[in-house]
Amino acid sequence: IKLLNISYDVARDFYKSYNPLFIKDYEAKNSGKTVDIQQSHGGSSKQALSVANGLKADVVTMNQTSDVDLLVKKGLVDKNWQQAFPNNAVPYTSTMVLLVRNNNPKQIKDWDDLAKPGVSIVIANPKTSGTARYGFLGAYGYGLHHFNNDEAKTKTLVKQILSNVAVYDSGARAATTSFLQREIGDVLITTENEAQITKKEFADKNLQIIYPSYSVKISNPVAVVNAVTEQKGTTELAKAYLKGLWDTPAQEIMAKNYLRPVDAATLAKYQSQFPAIATFEPNQVFGSWDEIMSKFFKDGAIFDQLAVKK
């Protein structure tokens, strides 16, 4: 049985480890059945759009609920998808951090340091990448927190930060490539897990991870694409595949990949690799994802207004 998981950019390392574990377990419990799981990774919204336009995904594992909601509107995913699995169908969380070069030459300690003249930033494009949207909201939420909800001062800060962006890549992994292999920029705005894995993988570069004083909480939702699985006869397998994400072995793989597991016992076991950080829920600060997308990311909205180069 073939199963296609359409996922966002920086989840690939986790699924590379989870898929063989799930296949072994599923085949042991269902003798005579063999499973082949195929993966596709890219900018979260770009991926959701591909599914909306006909790519036959059995499951989607995204990094913001609006990407799944798009598929609900298209009639591909059940409207009660968040009730299908524990914790509103979010198996792990993450946050946004800043990855800097050896010895942190630009002395970046928090979001406001990104606004300094001469700092060069690499980030994915918020139009195609959920990770980049979280990066933008992290900076904006920090501004509101720092300036006592003064929207004008916050916009000024974020505009200065965006004026320092050297490149907007299509997805988070492409942004990592620009920062590391093309050696563009002083700082990469990315997720905690991507920063940790990159730091480990490129140990010779002595990269440093800077945890902002206040950042955004990222909830990574998963859903079965019912319209596809019912047609293909893979609904039971798709549900089992996603349900397995809450089992202890999968939660442990998440922690080893620097994703914050939602299981309290697993999180406690790996607490040493997850620094305590003050975070905010984007929906509590900015409203629903529909409101966030409309206010910040639709054409001509706040991101477009602030991203205009000086």
Side-chain angles (χ1 to χ4, degrees):
I1 319 170
K2 283 188 175 166
L3 191 81
L4 176 59
N5 175 8
I6 298 294
S7 192
Y8 67 104
D9 238 356
V10 299
R12 73 183 75 215
D13 297 291
F14 165 69
Y15 284 106
K16 215 184 275 180
S17 301
Y18 173 65
N19 290 346
L21 177 87
F22 171 77
I23 290 168
K24 189 179 172 189
D25 184 59
Y26 188 84
E27 290 179 353
K29 289 173 182 168
N30 297 270
S31 61
K33 287 187 180 178
T34 55
V35 179
D36 174 22
I37 297 168
Q38 294 168 328
Q39 288 290 133
S40 168
H41 296 275
S44 190
S45 294
K46 217 175 175 183
Q47 293 288 78
L49 211 52
S50 298
V51 178
N53 290 335
L55 184 59
K56 300 285 184 194
D58 298 274
V59 298
V60 287
T61 54
M62 296 302 191
N63 73 354
Q64 71 175 64
T65 55
S66 68
D67 291 329
V68 184
D69 287 338
L70 169 73
L71 305 179
V72 174
K73 286 170 190 160
K74 287 274 185 181
L76 296 168
V77 168
D78 186 80
K79 69 177 191 306
N80 297 319
W81 65 274
Q82 284 182 297
Q83 280 67 61
F85 300 101
N87 196 44
N88 286 329
V90 172
Y92 59 81
T93 65
S94 191
T95 189
M96 294 303 292
V97 300
L98 312 172
L99 188 66
V100 299
R101 301 196 185 279
N102 186 20
N103 294 326
N104 192 5
K106 296 290 168 84
Q107 291 303 296
I108 290 158
K109 297 184 180 72
D110 215 336
W111 291 107
D112 50 1
D113 293 320
L114 302 184
K116 289 176 183 171
V119 172
S120 176
I121 299 165
V122 176
I123 187 172
N125 189 337
K127 298 284 187 161
T128 52
S129 162
T131 296
R133 281 197 282 277
Y134 281 115
F136 177 90
L137 295 174
Y140 207 95
Y142 167 84
L144 291 176
H145 182 71
H146 188 69
F147 297 121
N148 294 319
N149 288 323
D150 188 320
E151 198 101 24
K153 284 183 179 171
T154 297
K155 282 183 177 176
T156 301
L157 172 71
V158 176
K159 186 171 186 169
Q160 285 170 324
I161 291 172
L162 295 180
S163 73
N164 284 338
V165 172
V167 62
Y168 289 110
D169 280 294
S170 61
R173 188 51 62 90
T176 303
T177 301
S178 289
F179 182 69
L180 271 172
Q181 286 159 8
R182 293 166 65 201
E183 301 214 323
I184 296 172
D186 305 301
V187 57
L188 173 69
I189 301 176
T190 193
T191 57
E192 177 179 39
N193 62 303
E194 179 75 348
Q196 291 282 9
I197 286 166
T198 303
K199 185 185 176 201
K200 204 170 167 182
E201 208 176 306
F202 294 88
D204 58 318
K205 291 190 182 284
N206 297 314
L207 301 166
Q208 279 177 254
I209 297 170
I210 308 298
Y211 278 84
S213 61
Y214 189 71
S215 196
V216 61
K217 184 179 181 181
I218 301 173
S219 295
N220 302 89
V222 301
V224 173
V225 187
N226 308 78
V228 173
T229 64
E230 279 157 25
Q231 197 182 8
K232 285 170 64 179
T234 53
T235 304
E236 182 270 331
L237 175 65
K239 282 181 181 170
Y241 178 72
L242 294 184
K243 188 171 175 288
L245 296 172
W246 279 266
D247 294 343
T248 303
Q251 293 276 309
E252 293 234 342
I253 294 171
M254 288 165 197
K256 286 170 184 168
N257 280 277
Y258 302 96
L259 298 161
R260 296 184 181 226
V262 294
D263 175 61
T266 310
L267 184 61
K269 184 177 171 182
Y270 290 88
Q271 195 61 61
S272 63
Q273 67 185 41
F274 295 114
I277 177 172
T279 59
F280 65 90
E281 291 269 7
N283 300 126
Q284 285 173 7
V285 174
F286 302 115
S288 70
W289 273 108
D290 276 351
E291 290 168 310
I292 290 171
M293 296 303 285
S294 176
K295 179 178 177 178
F296 293 105
F297 303 115
K298 72 175 186 188
D299 287 350
I302 291 175
F303 169 72
D304 281 350
Q305 292 161 26
L306 301 181
V308 177
K309 289 285 184 190
K310 289 175 193 168

